[in-house]
């Protein structure tokens, strides 16, 4: 049974009970029931009138101050919209509520906990690898190439090269490349086969020298007791000593080498020939 019918039936029962109690012999029990039915009848009628007056005129009679919602519909709607805009949907209110919710902190914490799990990381990397493998690189490569070419041709190549040189110097990439080269050279010299090769090469070149007089005699005498193995060991020590000197951050020789590298890079970046070569390489 719907609530509106239940309320109507209840009001009818209160009214019928009140009328019946009026015609019964009056005693304490009848008066008590009469008061109860009377209170229920008055309260129910008041509630019905109050609720009905909000939406329409009770029994169709245009009583003043009734049908309040219909008469003030526009004012109520505008008030609700204004309240939503000023209290709920403005930037400050949304920001405040998001901060209270700590949504992003919760999400980031949850993601961090997931990523910390090895199986999740493995699955993520596997999915990413599969997605990269399925990319149509053959079709995308020409478009990427054309986009890069258009960007570079629209810019000043010399300016881009100079900026690259400045970034290289700012991040000390030139020194890092130099240190890598020094380390590789030291490893190469320490190789026994390369040491022997240096000794053979030095011995052969000294033997080819055409020096007369005391110089020639001294060289031939040295070659007499200095075999290829000994020459290789001496050259190895000399080269390693020079490499360590250049690798020393406080060495003046290192400063000269780094300065020379940077000057050469600047010359290459400013050269019109370099710009034409870069453009030709890009066009090819």
């Amino acid at each position: 049974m719907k609530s509106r019918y239940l309320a109507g039936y209840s009001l009818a029962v209160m009214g019928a009970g009140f009328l019946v109690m009026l015609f019964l012999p009056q005693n304490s029990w009848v008066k008590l029931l009469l008061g109860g039915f009377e209170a229920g009848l008055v309260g129910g009628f008041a509630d019905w009138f109050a609720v009905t007056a909000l939406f329409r005129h009770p029994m169709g009679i245009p009583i003043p101050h009734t049908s309040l919602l219909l008469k003030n519909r526009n004012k109520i709607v505008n008030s609700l919209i204004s309240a939503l805009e000023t209290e709920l949907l403005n930037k400050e209110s949304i920001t405040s509520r998001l901060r209270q919710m700590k949504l992003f902190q919760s999400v980031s914490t949850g993601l961090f906990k997931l990523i910390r799990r090895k199986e999740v990381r493995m699955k993520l990397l596997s999915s990413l690898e599969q997605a990269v493998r399925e990319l149509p690189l053959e079709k995308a490569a020409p478009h990427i190439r054309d986009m890069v070419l258009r960007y570079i041709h629209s810019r000043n190549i010399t300016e881009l090269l100079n900026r690259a040189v400045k970034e290289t110097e700012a991040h000390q990439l030139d020194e890092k490349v130099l240190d890598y080269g020094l380390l590789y050279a030291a490893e190469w010299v320490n190789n026994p086969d390369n040491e022997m090769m240096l000794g053979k090469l030095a011995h052969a070149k000294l033997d080819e020298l055409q020096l007369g007089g005391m110089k020639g005699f001294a060289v031939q005498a040295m070659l007499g007791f200095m075999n290829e193995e000994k020459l290789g060991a001496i050259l190895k020590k000399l080269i390693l000593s020079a490499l360590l000197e250049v690798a020393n951050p406080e060495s003046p020789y290192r400063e000269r080498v780094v300065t020379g590298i940077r000057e050469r890079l600047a010359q290459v970046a400013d050269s019109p020939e370099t710009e034409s070569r870069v453009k030709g390489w890009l066009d090819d």
Side-chain angles (χ1 to χ4, degrees), residues 132-146:
V132 171
R133 290 183 181 278
E134 293 178 357
L135 287 176
L137 297 181
E138 295 80 3
K139 297 180 179 179
H143 300 288
I144 297 175
R145 179 198 61 200
D146 294 340

Side-chain angles (χ1 to χ4, degrees), residues 218-265:
V219 171
Q220 293 301 322
M222 183 187 69
L223 292 177
F225 67 84
M226 187 73 67
N227 58 20
E228 297 172 349
E229 184 178 355
K230 291 181 179 180
L231 276 175
I234 293 173
L235 290 174
K236 171 185 173 181
K237 292 180 180 179
L238 291 175
I239 294 173
L240 287 177
S241 177
L243 293 176
L244 288 175
E245 182 67 27
V246 177
N248 183 7
E250 299 179 357
S251 171
Y253 298 106
R254 178 184 179 87
E255 183 178 354
R256 290 180 61 183
V257 172
V258 173
T259 302
I261 292 174
R262 291 175 178 175
E263 290 177 353
R264 182 57 182 162
L265 288 175

